[in-house]
């Protein structure tokens, strides 16, 4: 989707990089999301106290709740993967919400960003599987009996490749579609009032899509941890 005006594109123009920023808005806003997460992570780390205040209590409940949810699905073996999966969740959520800010572009509305996130999530599930089972992890791809290996191996390889495509296109499709709808409404109905219902729905979609990505990554890790049948 082409944006007639993006805030960071104009800022990069002052540095003589406007053409690059205009051609790669997902990269510039991806870096912005990373900087925001790092900054607030640093602030949160400095603000932690033994006697938590309201904000700390809220975030502790949310973060520990997500962790317990993940452990319920994966077992205790999955706890070490939680920091990575939580980081992806927060990045996806923030990237999605950027689309609600005027003159901002959500990096998750670009297929390159969602593909990168999907590759990280799926690849990590295989890393966990190898760490848990060693060379025996290959049994997850070979089927229940040796005679069926020629049938099960290509099916499993296609299935695991489809996980990457599923994560990539689900997130990209939802966020790019939201951007397109808001752009159309802006063109038809004015600058502020027309897209408000869609933007309100977009907040809900942003949260749901981030949680779906978190959930699917968790399920892939759980599948890699369990014993092959």
């Amino acid at each position: 989707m082409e944006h007639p005006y993006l805030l960071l594109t104009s800022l990069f123009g002052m540095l003589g990089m406007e053409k690059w920023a205009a051609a790669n808005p997902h990269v510039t806003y991806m870096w912005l999301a990373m900087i925001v997460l790092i900054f607030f992570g640093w602030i949160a780390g400095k603000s932690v106290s033994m006697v938590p205040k309201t904000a700390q209590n809220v975030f502790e409940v949310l973060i520990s709740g997500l962790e317990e949810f993940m452990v319920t699905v994966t077992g205790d073996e999955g706890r070490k993967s939680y920091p990575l999966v939580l980081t992806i969740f927060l990045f996806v959520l923030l990237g999605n919400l950027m689309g609600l800010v005027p003159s901002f572009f959500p990096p998750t509305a670009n297929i390159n960003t969602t593909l990168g996130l999907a590759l990280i999530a799926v690849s990590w599930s295989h890393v966990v599987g190898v760490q848990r089972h060693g060379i025996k992890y290959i049994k997850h791809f070979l089927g229940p009996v040796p005679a069926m290996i020629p049938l099960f191996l290509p099916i499993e390889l296609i299935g695991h490749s489809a996980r990457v495509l599923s994560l990539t296109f689900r997130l990209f499709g939802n966020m790019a579609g939201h951007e397109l709808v808001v752009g159309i409404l802006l063109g038809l109905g004015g600058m502020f009032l027309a897209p408000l219902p869609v933007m309100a729905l977009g907040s809900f979609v942003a949260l749901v899509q981030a949680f779906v990505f978190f959930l699917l990554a968790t399920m892939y890790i759980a599948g890699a941890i369990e014993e092959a049948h």
Side-chain angles (χ1 to χ4, degrees), residues 83-119:
L84 174 64
V85 180
L86 177 64
T87 301
I88 293 175
F89 169 78
L90 293 175
F91 176 82
V92 172
L93 179 59
L94 179 59
N96 292 349
L97 291 174
M98 278 185 172
L100 303 178
V101 180
S103 79
F104 272 48
F105 176 79
T108 48
N110 185 283
I111 197 168
N112 296 291
T113 305
T114 59
L115 176 60
L117 293 170
L119 287 171

PDB file of all heavy atoms in Angstrom, residues 83-119:
ATOM      1  N   PRO A  83      11.063 -16.182  26.748  1.00  0.00           N
ATOM      2  CA  PRO A  83      11.552 -14.834  26.419  1.00  0.00           C
ATOM      3  C   PRO A  83      11.507 -14.523  24.923  1.00  0.00           C
ATOM      4  O   PRO A  83      11.128 -13.408  24.528  1.00  0.00           O
ATOM      5  CB  PRO A  83      13.001 -14.847  26.949  1.00  0.00           C
ATOM      6  CG  PRO A  83      12.981 -15.854  28.049  1.00  0.00           C
ATOM      7  CD  PRO A  83      12.027 -16.925  27.586  1.00  0.00           C
ATOM      8  N   LEU A  84      11.876 -15.496  24.089  1.00  0.00           N
ATOM      9  CA  LEU A  84      11.841 -15.253  22.638  1.00  0.00           C
ATOM     10  C   LEU A  84      10.413 -15.087  22.140  1.00  0.00           C
ATOM     11  O   LEU A  84      10.106 -14.153  21.388  1.00  0.00           O
ATOM     12  CB  LEU A  84      12.517 -16.415  21.902  1.00  0.00           C
ATOM     13  CG  LEU A  84      12.417 -16.365  20.375  1.00  0.00           C
ATOM     14  CD1 LEU A  84      13.153 -15.148  19.827  1.00  0.00           C
ATOM     15  CD2 LEU A  84      12.956 -17.639  19.745  1.00  0.00           C
ATOM     16  N   VAL A  85       9.526 -15.977  22.562  1.00  0.00           N
ATOM     17  CA  VAL A  85       8.149 -15.926  22.081  1.00  0.00           C
ATOM     18  C   VAL A  85       7.448 -14.669  22.600  1.00  0.00           C
ATOM     19  O   VAL A  85       6.665 -14.041  21.875  1.00  0.00           O
ATOM     20  CB  VAL A  85       7.383 -17.202  22.504  1.00  0.00           C
ATOM     21  CG1 VAL A  85       5.944 -17.162  21.997  1.00  0.00           C
ATOM     22  CG2 VAL A  85       8.078 -18.448  21.971  1.00  0.00           C
ATOM     23  N   LEU A  86       7.738 -14.271  23.833  1.00  0.00           N
ATOM     24  CA  LEU A  86       7.155 -13.040  24.367  1.00  0.00           C
ATOM     25  C   LEU A  86       7.657 -11.824  23.605  1.00  0.00           C
ATOM     26  O   LEU A  86       6.889 -10.901  23.302  1.00  0.00           O
ATOM     27  CB  LEU A  86       7.490 -12.893  25.852  1.00  0.00           C
ATOM     28  CG  LEU A  86       6.995 -11.596  26.512  1.00  0.00           C
ATOM     29  CD1 LEU A  86       5.468 -11.537  26.517  1.00  0.00           C
ATOM     30  CD2 LEU A  86       7.551 -11.463  27.926  1.00  0.00           C
ATOM     31  N   THR A  87       8.942 -11.812  23.258  1.00  0.00           N
ATOM     32  CA  THR A  87       9.504 -10.699  22.483  1.00  0.00           C
ATOM     33  C   THR A  87       8.819 -10.589  21.128  1.00  0.00           C
ATOM     34  O   THR A  87       8.477  -9.481  20.675  1.00  0.00           O
ATOM     35  CB  THR A  87      11.015 -10.891  22.294  1.00  0.00           C
ATOM     36  OG1 THR A  87      11.657 -10.953  23.571  1.00  0.00           O
ATOM     37  CG2 THR A  87      11.616  -9.735  21.494  1.00  0.00           C
ATOM     38  N   ILE A  88       8.604 -11.731  20.475  1.00  0.00           N
ATOM     39  CA  ILE A  88       7.896 -11.717  19.187  1.00  0.00           C
ATOM     40  C   ILE A  88       6.474 -11.186  19.378  1.00  0.00           C
ATOM     41  O   ILE A  88       5.986 -10.379  18.577  1.00  0.00           O
ATOM     42  CB  ILE A  88       7.876 -13.130  18.575  1.00  0.00           C
ATOM     43  CG1 ILE A  88       9.297 -13.553  18.182  1.00  0.00           C
ATOM     44  CG2 ILE A  88       6.958 -13.179  17.354  1.00  0.00           C
ATOM     45  CD1 ILE A  88       9.388 -14.975  17.671  1.00  0.00           C
ATOM     46  N   PHE A  89       5.807 -11.630  20.436  1.00  0.00           N
ATOM     47  CA  PHE A  89       4.440 -11.171  20.722  1.00  0.00           C
ATOM     48  C   PHE A  89       4.400  -9.654  20.891  1.00  0.00           C
ATOM     49  O   PHE A  89       3.546  -8.972  20.297  1.00  0.00           O
ATOM     50  CB  PHE A  89       3.918 -11.861  21.987  1.00  0.00           C
ATOM     51  CG  PHE A  89       2.634 -11.275  22.515  1.00  0.00           C
ATOM     52  CD1 PHE A  89       1.423 -11.586  21.926  1.00  0.00           C
ATOM     53  CD2 PHE A  89       2.655 -10.403  23.598  1.00  0.00           C
ATOM     54  CE1 PHE A  89       0.238 -11.033  22.407  1.00  0.00           C
ATOM     55  CE2 PHE A  89       1.486  -9.854  24.087  1.00  0.00           C
ATOM     56  CZ  PHE A  89       0.266 -10.171  23.491  1.00  0.00           C
ATOM     57  N   LEU A  90       5.321  -9.113  21.686  1.00  0.00           N
ATOM     58  CA  LEU A  90       5.332  -7.671  21.929  1.00  0.00           C
ATOM     59  C   LEU A  90       5.661  -6.893  20.659  1.00  0.00           C
ATOM     60  O   LEU A  90       5.070  -5.841  20.393  1.00  0.00           O
ATOM     61  CB  LEU A  90       6.348  -7.339  23.030  1.00  0.00           C
ATOM     62  CG  LEU A  90       6.005  -7.857  24.435  1.00  0.00           C
ATOM     63  CD1 LEU A  90       7.149  -7.563  25.390  1.00  0.00           C
ATOM     64  CD2 LEU A  90       4.706  -7.244  24.939  1.00  0.00           C
ATOM     65  N   PHE A  91       6.596  -7.414  19.870  1.00  0.00           N
ATOM     66  CA  PHE A  91       6.948  -6.736  18.616  1.00  0.00           C
ATOM     67  C   PHE A  91       5.765  -6.737  17.653  1.00  0.00           C
ATOM     68  O   PHE A  91       5.462  -5.717  17.025  1.00  0.00           O
ATOM     69  CB  PHE A  91       8.151  -7.415  17.976  1.00  0.00           C
ATOM     70  CG  PHE A  91       8.514  -6.828  16.635  1.00  0.00           C
ATOM     71  CD1 PHE A  91       9.285  -5.678  16.554  1.00  0.00           C
ATOM     72  CD2 PHE A  91       8.064  -7.409  15.453  1.00  0.00           C
ATOM     73  CE1 PHE A  91       9.609  -5.116  15.314  1.00  0.00           C
ATOM     74  CE2 PHE A  91       8.381  -6.858  14.218  1.00  0.00           C
ATOM     75  CZ  PHE A  91       9.147  -5.709  14.158  1.00  0.00           C
ATOM     76  N   VAL A  92       5.106  -7.883  17.521  1.00  0.00           N
ATOM     77  CA  VAL A  92       3.951  -7.974  16.615  1.00  0.00           C
ATOM     78  C   VAL A  92       2.836  -7.051  17.094  1.00  0.00           C
ATOM     79  O   VAL A  92       2.219  -6.338  16.287  1.00  0.00           O
ATOM     80  CB  VAL A  92       3.454  -9.430  16.513  1.00  0.00           C
ATOM     81  CG1 VAL A  92       2.132  -9.498  15.742  1.00  0.00           C
ATOM     82  CG2 VAL A  92       4.495 -10.304  15.819  1.00  0.00           C
ATOM     83  N   LEU A  93       2.580  -7.042  18.398  1.00  0.00           N
ATOM     84  CA  LEU A  93       1.524  -6.187  18.931  1.00  0.00           C
ATOM     85  C   LEU A  93       1.825  -4.721  18.677  1.00  0.00           C
ATOM     86  O   LEU A  93       0.961  -3.969  18.191  1.00  0.00           O
ATOM     87  CB  LEU A  93       1.355  -6.438  20.436  1.00  0.00           C
ATOM     88  CG  LEU A  93       0.300  -5.590  21.154  1.00  0.00           C
ATOM     89  CD1 LEU A  93      -1.082  -5.815  20.536  1.00  0.00           C
ATOM     90  CD2 LEU A  93       0.288  -5.892  22.643  1.00  0.00           C
ATOM     91  N   LEU A  94       3.047  -4.294  18.988  1.00  0.00           N
ATOM     92  CA  LEU A  94       3.415  -2.896  18.764  1.00  0.00           C
ATOM     93  C   LEU A  94       3.412  -2.560  17.279  1.00  0.00           C
ATOM     94  O   LEU A  94       2.922  -1.494  16.873  1.00  0.00           O
ATOM     95  CB  LEU A  94       4.795  -2.611  19.363  1.00  0.00           C
ATOM     96  CG  LEU A  94       5.328  -1.189  19.193  1.00  0.00           C
ATOM     97  CD1 LEU A  94       4.367  -0.172  19.821  1.00  0.00           C
ATOM     98  CD2 LEU A  94       6.716  -1.057  19.814  1.00  0.00           C
ATOM     99  N   GLY A  95       3.927  -3.464  16.451  1.00  0.00           N
ATOM    100  CA  GLY A  95       3.922  -3.235  15.012  1.00  0.00           C
ATOM    101  C   GLY A  95       2.513  -3.108  14.462  1.00  0.00           C
ATOM    102  O   GLY A  95       2.243  -2.256  13.603  1.00  0.00           O
ATOM    103  N   ASN A  96       1.605  -3.947  14.959  1.00  0.00           N
ATOM    104  CA  ASN A  96       0.210  -3.860  14.527  1.00  0.00           C
ATOM    105  C   ASN A  96      -0.421  -2.526  14.935  1.00  0.00           C
ATOM    106  O   ASN A  96      -1.128  -1.880  14.157  1.00  0.00           O
ATOM    107  CB  ASN A  96      -0.603  -5.000  15.127  1.00  0.00           C
ATOM    108  CG  ASN A  96      -0.216  -6.356  14.561  1.00  0.00           C
ATOM    109  OD1 ASN A  96       0.513  -6.451  13.571  1.00  0.00           O
ATOM    110  ND2 ASN A  96      -0.691  -7.409  15.192  1.00  0.00           N
ATOM    111  N   LEU A  97      -0.169  -2.120  16.183  1.00  0.00           N
ATOM    112  CA  LEU A  97      -0.786  -0.899  16.699  1.00  0.00           C
ATOM    113  C   LEU A  97      -0.259   0.360  16.024  1.00  0.00           C
ATOM    114  O   LEU A  97      -0.928   1.396  16.038  1.00  0.00           O
ATOM    115  CB  LEU A  97      -0.566  -0.809  18.216  1.00  0.00           C
ATOM    116  CG  LEU A  97      -1.320  -1.843  19.057  1.00  0.00           C
ATOM    117  CD1 LEU A  97      -0.912  -1.740  20.511  1.00  0.00           C
ATOM    118  CD2 LEU A  97      -2.832  -1.684  18.913  1.00  0.00           C
ATOM    119  N   MET A  98       0.925   0.274  15.421  1.00  0.00           N
ATOM    120  CA  MET A  98       1.468   1.443  14.717  1.00  0.00           C
ATOM    121  C   MET A  98       0.554   1.881  13.575  1.00  0.00           C
ATOM    122  O   MET A  98       0.529   3.056  13.206  1.00  0.00           O
ATOM    123  CB  MET A  98       2.859   1.129  14.162  1.00  0.00           C
ATOM    124  CG  MET A  98       3.967   1.253  15.169  1.00  0.00           C
ATOM    125  SD  MET A  98       5.584   1.014  14.398  1.00  0.00           S
ATOM    126  CE  MET A  98       6.657   1.447  15.762  1.00  0.00           C
ATOM    127  N   GLY A  99      -0.197   0.927  13.027  1.00  0.00           N
ATOM    128  CA  GLY A  99      -1.099   1.272  11.939  1.00  0.00           C
ATOM    129  C   GLY A  99      -2.238   2.176  12.364  1.00  0.00           C
ATOM    130  O   GLY A  99      -2.922   2.756  11.516  1.00  0.00           O
ATOM    131  N   LEU A 100      -2.456   2.310  13.679  1.00  0.00           N
ATOM    132  CA  LEU A 100      -3.532   3.164  14.175  1.00  0.00           C
ATOM    133  C   LEU A 100      -3.071   4.598  14.391  1.00  0.00           C
ATOM    134  O   LEU A 100      -3.882   5.475  14.673  1.00  0.00           O
ATOM    135  CB  LEU A 100      -4.077   2.601  15.497  1.00  0.00           C
ATOM    136  CG  LEU A 100      -4.587   1.158  15.440  1.00  0.00           C
ATOM    137  CD1 LEU A 100      -5.053   0.713  16.818  1.00  0.00           C
ATOM    138  CD2 LEU A 100      -5.713   1.018  14.429  1.00  0.00           C
ATOM    139  N   VAL A 101      -1.767   4.833  14.281  1.00  0.00           N
ATOM    140  CA  VAL A 101      -1.217   6.179  14.490  1.00  0.00           C
ATOM    141  C   VAL A 101      -1.133   6.889  13.143  1.00  0.00           C
ATOM    142  O   VAL A 101      -0.520   6.375  12.207  1.00  0.00           O
ATOM    143  CB  VAL A 101       0.180   6.106  15.136  1.00  0.00           C
ATOM    144  CG1 VAL A 101       0.732   7.514  15.355  1.00  0.00           C
ATOM    145  CG2 VAL A 101       0.124   5.334  16.443  1.00  0.00           C
ATOM    146  N   PRO A 102      -1.751   8.058  13.006  1.00  0.00           N
ATOM    147  CA  PRO A 102      -1.676   8.791  11.736  1.00  0.00           C
ATOM    148  C   PRO A 102      -0.229   9.036  11.315  1.00  0.00           C
ATOM    149  O   PRO A 102       0.612   9.387  12.140  1.00  0.00           O
ATOM    150  CB  PRO A 102      -2.399  10.116  12.051  1.00  0.00           C
ATOM    151  CG  PRO A 102      -3.316   9.778  13.183  1.00  0.00           C
ATOM    152  CD  PRO A 102      -2.596   8.750  14.001  1.00  0.00           C
ATOM    153  N   SER A 103       0.044   8.815  10.040  1.00  0.00           N
ATOM    154  CA  SER A 103       1.352   8.995   9.406  1.00  0.00           C
ATOM    155  C   SER A 103       2.359   7.925   9.797  1.00  0.00           C
ATOM    156  O   SER A 103       3.533   8.041   9.497  1.00  0.00           O
ATOM    157  CB  SER A 103       1.938  10.393   9.699  1.00  0.00           C
ATOM    158  OG  SER A 103       2.507  10.461  10.990  1.00  0.00           O
ATOM    159  N   PHE A 104       1.891   6.834  10.446  1.00  0.00           N
ATOM    160  CA  PHE A 104       2.758   5.703  10.770  1.00  0.00           C
ATOM    161  C   PHE A 104       2.383   4.513   9.893  1.00  0.00           C
ATOM    162  O   PHE A 104       1.228   4.365   9.493  1.00  0.00           O
ATOM    163  CB  PHE A 104       2.626   5.317  12.246  1.00  0.00           C
ATOM    164  CG  PHE A 104       3.544   6.073  13.154  1.00  0.00           C
ATOM    165  CD1 PHE A 104       3.645   7.453  13.071  1.00  0.00           C
ATOM    166  CD2 PHE A 104       4.290   5.409  14.114  1.00  0.00           C
ATOM    167  CE1 PHE A 104       4.486   8.163  13.920  1.00  0.00           C
ATOM    168  CE2 PHE A 104       5.140   6.106  14.958  1.00  0.00           C
ATOM    169  CZ  PHE A 104       5.235   7.488  14.865  1.00  0.00           C
ATOM    170  N   PHE A 105       3.380   3.686   9.597  1.00  0.00           N
ATOM    171  CA  PHE A 105       3.159   2.486   8.793  1.00  0.00           C
ATOM    172  C   PHE A 105       3.443   1.259   9.654  1.00  0.00           C
ATOM    173  O   PHE A 105       4.524   1.163  10.254  1.00  0.00           O
ATOM    174  CB  PHE A 105       4.087   2.478   7.579  1.00  0.00           C
ATOM    175  CG  PHE A 105       3.981   1.220   6.744  1.00  0.00           C
ATOM    176  CD1 PHE A 105       2.934   1.056   5.855  1.00  0.00           C
ATOM    177  CD2 PHE A 105       4.925   0.209   6.863  1.00  0.00           C
ATOM    178  CE1 PHE A 105       2.827  -0.087   5.098  1.00  0.00           C
ATOM    179  CE2 PHE A 105       4.827  -0.943   6.102  1.00  0.00           C
ATOM    180  CZ  PHE A 105       3.772  -1.088   5.213  1.00  0.00           C
ATOM    181  N   PRO A 106       2.491   0.312   9.765  1.00  0.00           N
ATOM    182  CA  PRO A 106       2.749  -0.886  10.573  1.00  0.00           C
ATOM    183  C   PRO A 106       3.724  -1.823   9.860  1.00  0.00           C
ATOM    184  O   PRO A 106       3.438  -2.272   8.742  1.00  0.00           O
ATOM    185  CB  PRO A 106       1.356  -1.525  10.706  1.00  0.00           C
ATOM    186  CG  PRO A 106       0.605  -1.051   9.508  1.00  0.00           C
ATOM    187  CD  PRO A 106       1.139   0.326   9.191  1.00  0.00           C
ATOM    188  N   PRO A 107       4.860  -2.141  10.441  1.00  0.00           N
ATOM    189  CA  PRO A 107       5.813  -3.024   9.766  1.00  0.00           C
ATOM    190  C   PRO A 107       5.252  -4.410   9.488  1.00  0.00           C
ATOM    191  O   PRO A 107       5.695  -5.090   8.567  1.00  0.00           O
ATOM    192  CB  PRO A 107       6.997  -3.079  10.742  1.00  0.00           C
ATOM    193  CG  PRO A 107       6.443  -2.655  12.062  1.00  0.00           C
ATOM    194  CD  PRO A 107       5.347  -1.701  11.752  1.00  0.00           C
ATOM    195  N   THR A 108       4.255  -4.828  10.268  1.00  0.00           N
ATOM    196  CA  THR A 108       3.650  -6.142  10.068  1.00  0.00           C
ATOM    197  C   THR A 108       2.713  -6.175   8.869  1.00  0.00           C
ATOM    198  O   THR A 108       2.176  -7.234   8.540  1.00  0.00           O
ATOM    199  CB  THR A 108       2.883  -6.571  11.333  1.00  0.00           C
ATOM    200  OG1 THR A 108       2.050  -5.481  11.772  1.00  0.00           O
ATOM    201  CG2 THR A 108       3.839  -6.932  12.452  1.00  0.00           C
ATOM    202  N   ALA A 109       2.494  -5.030   8.214  1.00  0.00           N
ATOM    203  CA  ALA A 109       1.694  -5.004   6.989  1.00  0.00           C
ATOM    204  C   ALA A 109       2.556  -5.241   5.762  1.00  0.00           C
ATOM    205  O   ALA A 109       2.077  -5.102   4.642  1.00  0.00           O
ATOM    206  CB  ALA A 109       0.955  -3.669   6.861  1.00  0.00           C
ATOM    207  N   ASN A 110       3.828  -5.577   5.971  1.00  0.00           N
ATOM    208  CA  ASN A 110       4.732  -5.912   4.879  1.00  0.00           C
ATOM    209  C   ASN A 110       5.124  -7.379   5.004  1.00  0.00           C
ATOM    210  O   ASN A 110       5.498  -7.842   6.093  1.00  0.00           O
ATOM    211  CB  ASN A 110       5.974  -5.025   4.925  1.00  0.00           C
ATOM    212  CG  ASN A 110       6.894  -5.252   3.729  1.00  0.00           C
ATOM    213  OD1 ASN A 110       7.625  -6.230   3.672  1.00  0.00           O
ATOM    214  ND2 ASN A 110       6.851  -4.335   2.775  1.00  0.00           N
ATOM    215  N   ILE A 111       5.062  -8.111   3.903  1.00  0.00           N
ATOM    216  CA  ILE A 111       5.281  -9.549   3.944  1.00  0.00           C
ATOM    217  C   ILE A 111       6.712  -9.909   4.326  1.00  0.00           C
ATOM    218  O   ILE A 111       6.961 -10.998   4.874  1.00  0.00           O
ATOM    219  CB  ILE A 111       4.895 -10.188   2.585  1.00  0.00           C
ATOM    220  CG1 ILE A 111       4.715 -11.696   2.743  1.00  0.00           C
ATOM    221  CG2 ILE A 111       5.934  -9.861   1.519  1.00  0.00           C
ATOM    222  CD1 ILE A 111       4.073 -12.367   1.554  1.00  0.00           C
ATOM    223  N   ASN A 112       7.664  -9.027   4.081  1.00  0.00           N
ATOM    224  CA  ASN A 112       9.048  -9.304   4.461  1.00  0.00           C
ATOM    225  C   ASN A 112       9.195  -9.400   5.976  1.00  0.00           C
ATOM    226  O   ASN A 112       9.925 -10.257   6.491  1.00  0.00           O
ATOM    227  CB  ASN A 112       9.978  -8.231   3.905  1.00  0.00           C
ATOM    228  CG  ASN A 112      10.014  -8.216   2.394  1.00  0.00           C
ATOM    229  OD1 ASN A 112      10.526  -9.123   1.771  1.00  0.00           O
ATOM    230  ND2 ASN A 112       9.436  -7.177   1.802  1.00  0.00           N
ATOM    231  N   THR A 113       8.506  -8.516   6.699  1.00  0.00           N
ATOM    232  CA  THR A 113       8.556  -8.545   8.163  1.00  0.00           C
ATOM    233  C   THR A 113       7.914  -9.807   8.707  1.00  0.00           C
ATOM    234  O   THR A 113       8.486 -10.495   9.562  1.00  0.00           O
ATOM    235  CB  THR A 113       7.854  -7.312   8.746  1.00  0.00           C
ATOM    236  OG1 THR A 113       8.417  -6.125   8.194  1.00  0.00           O
ATOM    237  CG2 THR A 113       7.987  -7.282  10.259  1.00  0.00           C
ATOM    238  N   THR A 114       6.729 -10.137   8.219  1.00  0.00           N
ATOM    239  CA  THR A 114       6.024 -11.307   8.742  1.00  0.00           C
ATOM    240  C   THR A 114       6.753 -12.597   8.376  1.00  0.00           C
ATOM    241  O   THR A 114       6.761 -13.555   9.156  1.00  0.00           O
ATOM    242  CB  THR A 114       4.578 -11.343   8.228  1.00  0.00           C
ATOM    243  OG1 THR A 114       4.565 -11.373   6.792  1.00  0.00           O
ATOM    244  CG2 THR A 114       3.802 -10.123   8.688  1.00  0.00           C
ATOM    245  N   LEU A 115       7.373 -12.635   7.207  1.00  0.00           N
ATOM    246  CA  LEU A 115       8.155 -13.813   6.823  1.00  0.00           C
ATOM    247  C   LEU A 115       9.347 -13.994   7.752  1.00  0.00           C
ATOM    248  O   LEU A 115       9.652 -15.113   8.188  1.00  0.00           O
ATOM    249  CB  LEU A 115       8.626 -13.689   5.377  1.00  0.00           C
ATOM    250  CG  LEU A 115       9.539 -14.817   4.864  1.00  0.00           C
ATOM    251  CD1 LEU A 115       8.841 -16.167   4.931  1.00  0.00           C
ATOM    252  CD2 LEU A 115      10.004 -14.522   3.438  1.00  0.00           C
ATOM    253  N   GLY A 116      10.034 -12.891   8.072  1.00  0.00           N
ATOM    254  CA  GLY A 116      11.163 -12.977   8.996  1.00  0.00           C
ATOM    255  C   GLY A 116      10.746 -13.492  10.361  1.00  0.00           C
ATOM    256  O   GLY A 116      11.413 -14.356  10.951  1.00  0.00           O
ATOM    257  N   LEU A 117       9.616 -12.986  10.882  1.00  0.00           N
ATOM    258  CA  LEU A 117       9.117 -13.443  12.180  1.00  0.00           C
ATOM    259  C   LEU A 117       8.730 -14.917  12.125  1.00  0.00           C
ATOM    260  O   LEU A 117       9.004 -15.681  13.072  1.00  0.00           O
ATOM    261  CB  LEU A 117       7.917 -12.600  12.590  1.00  0.00           C
ATOM    262  CG  LEU A 117       8.201 -11.126  12.903  1.00  0.00           C
ATOM    263  CD1 LEU A 117       6.891 -10.357  13.049  1.00  0.00           C
ATOM    264  CD2 LEU A 117       9.034 -10.999  14.176  1.00  0.00           C
ATOM    265  N   ALA A 118       8.092 -15.330  11.044  1.00  0.00           N
ATOM    266  CA  ALA A 118       7.676 -16.724  10.904  1.00  0.00           C
ATOM    267  C   ALA A 118       8.887 -17.657  10.843  1.00  0.00           C
ATOM    268  O   ALA A 118       8.887 -18.733  11.455  1.00  0.00           O
ATOM    269  CB  ALA A 118       6.816 -16.891   9.651  1.00  0.00           C
ATOM    270  N   LEU A 119       9.908 -17.258  10.112  1.00  0.00           N
ATOM    271  CA  LEU A 119      11.114 -18.086  10.021  1.00  0.00           C
ATOM    272  C   LEU A 119      11.785 -18.231  11.384  1.00  0.00           C
ATOM    273  O   LEU A 119      12.264 -19.322  11.735  1.00  0.00           O
ATOM    274  CB  LEU A 119      12.093 -17.475   9.017  1.00  0.00           C
ATOM    275  CG  LEU A 119      11.710 -17.620   7.535  1.00  0.00           C
ATOM    276  CD1 LEU A 119      12.647 -16.789   6.669  1.00  0.00           C
ATOM    277  CD2 LEU A 119      11.755 -19.090   7.109  1.00  0.00           C
TER     278      LEU A 119
END
